[in-house]
Amino acid sequence: MKTQPWQRDPEAYDFQFTITPLFFHLDVERHVNNVAVQSFHTEGRLRYLMEVLGAEDIWCSDQVLLRPRRTVTQFLEETHYLTDVQCAVKLVAVDKATCRFAIALFQNGECTSVQDCLMGAWRDGQWQSLPASMFDTLSARLGDVPELAPLPDFEAGPETDLGYPCRTPLEPRFIDQDTDRRLGELTIARYLEQSRVSSLDAMRLPGLGLLVARIDIHYLDWPAPLHSASLATGIAGFGNSSFRVRSGARVNDVLVGLCESVMVLMNREQRRPTPIDAAMREAMAASLVRG
């Protein structure tokens, strides 16, 4: 999935504001963690909706929940601490069931990540049509529709994770709930990150690192309360220096999120991609997705 040239131009977006990265956003590589980066995209989308639709229906709701159905985040550059990040948001599509946003982050004049986000309305345990007032308001705000690359081919059904061989139990926590007392969007992203990290020990060798290039998440359910959780992971395929990891998260034995992550093997000293050798492929053979 390639970014379009306009996505790297902050002037192409309808709405902008500044976010300051915090120290606890950093990971062990000493740059802003990928889920923290995704939280900046989430903040951008929420602030846009609060400005357009009003804060009351967006901040929290006991009725229709406006939630992401799918997010595809591409990481173009590392995001660092102590420098403000400019977040830019553009509404790019609206129909009766969904609205779609393009979101980009800029730091030091460079576009560091872009996200394609498909939103929907969740109520009574399933996706619904957008409320009529929301559809009308967003439709009126929709301007010229820019060109976007098609979303990656990654299907997500309720049993998709059954062929993922690596399994990890997880204990849900109070903080995993959002303001609507539902499983939080970023909690699902954290669960999927944990699933991916737990399965890649064979790739962690001296002098080598792993860089996340793309994270594609399908959000399938928004449960409450949270009783039990489990994670599943598998390797979906190898390239020369990259590979695809598929992860699933279940809560209360219901699949709530599926993810495909594109990872790049990096030489730490040279800061360049390095080939995945035969020994690594053999070590990961037991982790390949089945079926």
Side-chain angles (χ1 to χ4, degrees):
M1 182 177 179
K2 294 183 178 180
T3 59
Q4 301 298 321
W6 71 265
Q7 291 179 273
R8 299 174 184 241
D9 178 7
E11 299 304 318
Y13 293 83
D14 304 325
F15 177 78
Q16 297 189 26
F17 66 98
T18 299
I19 297 177
T20 301
L22 302 178
F23 181 78
F24 67 80
H25 289 142
L26 302 182
D27 60 18
V28 296
E29 302 293 341
R30 298 190 177 184
H31 55 67
V32 177
N33 171 262
N34 71 84
V35 178
V37 170
Q38 291 177 75
S39 78
F40 297 167
H41 288 280
T42 300
E43 184 73 15
R45 177 212 318 147
L46 287 173
R47 291 200 192 186
Y48 177 93
L49 289 168
M50 290 171 69
E51 178 175 274
V52 173
L53 302 175
E56 183 176 348
D57 292 331
I58 299 302
W59 182 248
C60 60
S61 172
D62 294 326
Q63 302 299 320
V64 176
L65 305 177
L66 191 60
R67 294 289 186 272
R69 298 183 64 149
R70 187 177 183 184
T71 59
V72 182
T73 310
Q74 299 184 78
F75 302 89
L76 309 176
E77 303 286 346
E78 294 176 353
T79 303
H80 294 282
Y81 180 50
L82 289 179
T83 303
D84 283 349
V85 171
Q86 193 74 12
C87 182
V89 185
K90 185 174 183 62
L91 178 68
V92 294
V94 183
D95 59 34
K96 293 293 185 180
T98 62
C99 52
R100 186 175 175 182
F101 294 92
I103 309 159
L105 303 181
F106 300 87
Q107 191 177 55
N108 295 322
E110 298 289 335
C111 183
T112 59
S113 63
V114 297
Q115 184 181 92
D116 194 327
C117 175
L118 189 67
M119 301 286 293
W122 180 266
R123 185 175 185 178
D124 298 330
Q126 60 185 346
W127 296 109
Q128 311 256 351
S129 298
L130 295 177
S133 60
M134 183 181 300
F135 171 78
D136 291 342
T137 302
L138 292 177
S139 296
R141 290 290 294 247
L142 186 63
D144 294 335
V145 179
E147 182 180 3
L148 280 172
L151 293 171
D153 184 15
F154 173 36
E155 295 298 324
E159 298 183 349
T160 306
D161 64 326
L162 297 185
Y164 300 174
C166 304
R167 302 279 163 169
T168 306
L170 197 66
E171 185 70 26
R173 305 163 300 169
F174 175 78
I175 199 173
D176 292 345
Q177 300 176 94
D178 63 15
T179 56
D180 298 307
R181 298 182 182 274
R182 300 284 181 143
L183 183 68
E185 172 187 343
L186 294 176
T187 296
I188 295 177
R190 282 286 184 209
Y191 284 4
L192 295 167
E193 176 191 48
Q194 183 62 49
S195 179
R196 178 180 69 244
V197 170
S198 298
S199 64
L200 298 178
D201 286 346
M203 307 290 285
R204 302 183 191 283
L205 299 175
L208 298 179
L210 293 173
L211 180 70
V212 184
R214 185 181 77 208
I215 296 178
D216 181 355
I217 301 178
H218 285 268
Y219 298 87
L220 305 178
D221 207 317
W222 303 95
L226 314 179
H227 297 304
S228 62
S230 62
L231 310 175
T233 315
I235 306 297
F238 290 99
N240 179 44
S241 59
S242 65
F243 59 102
R244 291 177 291 119
V245 184
R246 290 191 174 173
S247 305
R250 287 182 175 268
V251 172
N252 307 341
D253 202 31
V254 174
L255 189 62
V256 298
L258 279 169
C259 174
E260 181 174 86
S261 305
V262 176
M263 309 292 297
V264 180
L265 186 67
M266 299 288 293
N267 181 296
R268 289 184 180 276
E269 182 178 349
Q270 299 176 356
R271 302 297 296 169
R272 294 178 59 86
T274 190
I276 302 171
D277 61 27
M280 291 182 183
R281 294 170 191 262
E282 183 177 355
M284 298 299 291
S287 299
L288 292 173
V289 170
R290 296 190 289 264

